[in-house]
Amino acid sequence: MSSTLTGRPATPVFSDLSPRLGVAVEGIDLRGTLAPGMFARLRQALLDRQVLCIRGQDIGPAEFLATMRMFGEPEIRPYIPHVEGFPEVTTISSGDRDTQGDGGRLVVGATWHTDDSFRSAPSALTALYGVEVPEVGGDTEFANLYDAYDALPEATKHRLAGLKAVHMMKPDREGIGRVRSLAPDVRAAAVPSVHPVVRTHPDTGRRSLYISRNRMDGIVGMDRAEGHRLIDELTAHAIQPRFVYRHKWRKGDLTIWDNRCLIHKANGDYPEGMRRFMRRIILLGDVPV
Ligand code: OGA
Ligand code: MN
């Protein structure tokens, strides 16, 4: 392959990150203008592979925001810590502390979830940019809910057809822990929503599960215990290693994921004192159907 004097490949190179999902691209510099057709390739790679990691970036919040605006409309959460002057660009830090409880260390998203399923129109895409990443730990895991759905027995698919679930900030069930949040008023902002258990992706037309265990209060029309059992079974099915990609962060990764067909999980397993600092942009999504 030819390369420029800076050592970057002259042509961006895409490579799969795992057999089932995830693709990385090297040789793109988001400080400049993208080559003609490149945005369409990035968008398609994300739709095909659900997680897109643009490696080796050295960008500020304005460039991050401009990049993500190509993919959609950023959401503003004034109550979440953000970069000064950029309310769309929130931050996730190893220094985050629980504002509602004991003031202990807060790892955002440490259980399997999809972002904002308790909203009526949950987030379509989330992007994290790794400003500081730990040498060990702090991986983000992703589970492919298209493949998890496809792999279900026909009888289960039949059972799920037409089922709807109630999603909320703090479901009333045992074993999901308490809500830990960076946001003081997040409870007040959270009204329950009802979403299909199987949704069809608006861009790919593919069906996937749409689950987020710790935000699911129950299945509409089902006994509570039975609904919880079904949610637990679907979650256990979806997070089998064959459906999971575990992203080991490199500094300068800009990783974008599709909340409509994945669940993901943060790992707070890096040693105390080691820093992890991410900038984050969430893009608005549609009502799931
Ligand atoms: C998120 C999230 C995972 C991580 O930003 O929504 O779940 O690994 N983050 O920080
Ligand atoms: Mn998340």
Side-chain angles (χ1 to χ4, degrees):
M1 186 200 314
S2 63
S3 68
T4 65
L5 289 176
T6 62
R8 282 182 187 275
T11 314
V13 177
F14 290 78
S15 47
D16 287 352
L17 289 164
S18 79
R20 294 223 186 215
L21 73 154
V23 60
V25 57
E26 285 184 75
I28 284 181
D29 186 346
L30 293 170
R31 290 174 303 191
T33 315
L34 288 180
M38 185 47 69
F39 173 69
R41 278 189 73 189
L42 294 175
R43 181 175 181 276
Q44 194 58 48
L46 175 58
L47 289 174
D48 291 343
R49 302 292 300 173
Q50 302 165 270
V51 177
L52 168 68
C53 176
I54 307 174
R55 299 272 197 203
Q57 300 309 302
D58 183 10
I59 52 174
E63 289 147 335
F64 183 26
L65 185 55
T67 299
M68 293 318 298
R69 280 206 169 114
M70 294 191 284
F71 287 88
E73 189 186 336
E75 186 179 315
I76 295 183
R77 305 264 183 88
Y79 46 79
I80 293 185
H82 58 265
V83 179
E84 205 186 328
F86 294 90
E88 303 91 342
V89 185
T90 57
T91 58
I92 291 186
S93 164
S94 48
D96 290 338
R97 296 291 175 263
D98 185 2
T99 57
Q100 296 179 0
D102 55 13
R105 181 155 161 221
L106 175 60
V107 179
V108 171
T111 58
W112 285 101
H113 67 284
T114 181
D115 289 336
D116 297 345
S117 70
F118 54 88
R119 291 172 191 261
S120 57
S123 155
L125 304 175
T126 300
L128 283 187
Y129 172 58
V131 180
E132 287 179 274
V133 304
E135 272 159 51
V136 285
D139 302 350
T140 309
E141 290 175 275
F142 299 92
N144 179 335
L145 297 183
Y146 288 138
D147 285 2
Y149 175 75
D150 288 344
L152 289 170
E154 286 307 313
T156 309
K157 288 184 189 164
H158 195 73
R159 183 175 173 222
L160 299 183
L163 280 188
K164 292 185 185 301
V166 179
H167 293 247
M168 58 200 284
M169 192 69 193
K170 177 73 176 120
D172 179 22
R173 67 170 292 192
E174 296 293 310
I176 56 168
R178 64 196 178 84
V179 173
R180 294 168 67 89
S181 178
L182 294 171
D185 61 350
V186 79
R187 272 164 222 259
V191 179
S193 299
V194 175
H195 298 306
V197 174
V198 177
R199 68 181 290 185
T200 303
H201 195 289
D203 298 319
T204 67
R206 292 187 67 190
R207 273 192 201 152
S208 72
L209 290 174
Y210 190 62
I211 53 175
S212 197
R213 183 178 179 276
N214 288 20
R215 296 277 192 259
M216 294 173 85
D217 190 55
I219 306 289
V220 176
M222 227 182 243
D223 179 72
R224 284 192 77 72
E226 193 192 348
H228 292 165
R229 204 158 45 237
L230 177 60
I231 292 164
D232 292 353
E233 280 169 18
L234 293 175
T235 306
H237 168 75
I239 63 175
Q240 294 175 79
R242 63 183 163 134
F243 301 128
V244 171
Y245 163 61
R246 186 175 183 118
H247 188 71
K248 167 94 192 105
W249 286 89
R250 297 184 198 163
K251 183 178 160 69
D253 281 354
L254 195 173
T255 302
I256 307 169
W257 68 81
D258 193 332
N259 285 303
R260 299 163 290 189
C261 52
L262 292 168
I263 45 179
H264 62 277
K265 177 185 186 296
N267 286 282
D269 56 351
Y270 45 90
E272 203 58 59
M274 202 173 260
R275 284 187 52 86
R276 184 181 193 267
F277 186 76
M278 305 285 184
R279 295 194 186 122
R280 179 181 193 248
I281 293 177
I282 288 194
L283 301 184
L284 296 168
D286 302 319
V287 173
V289 287

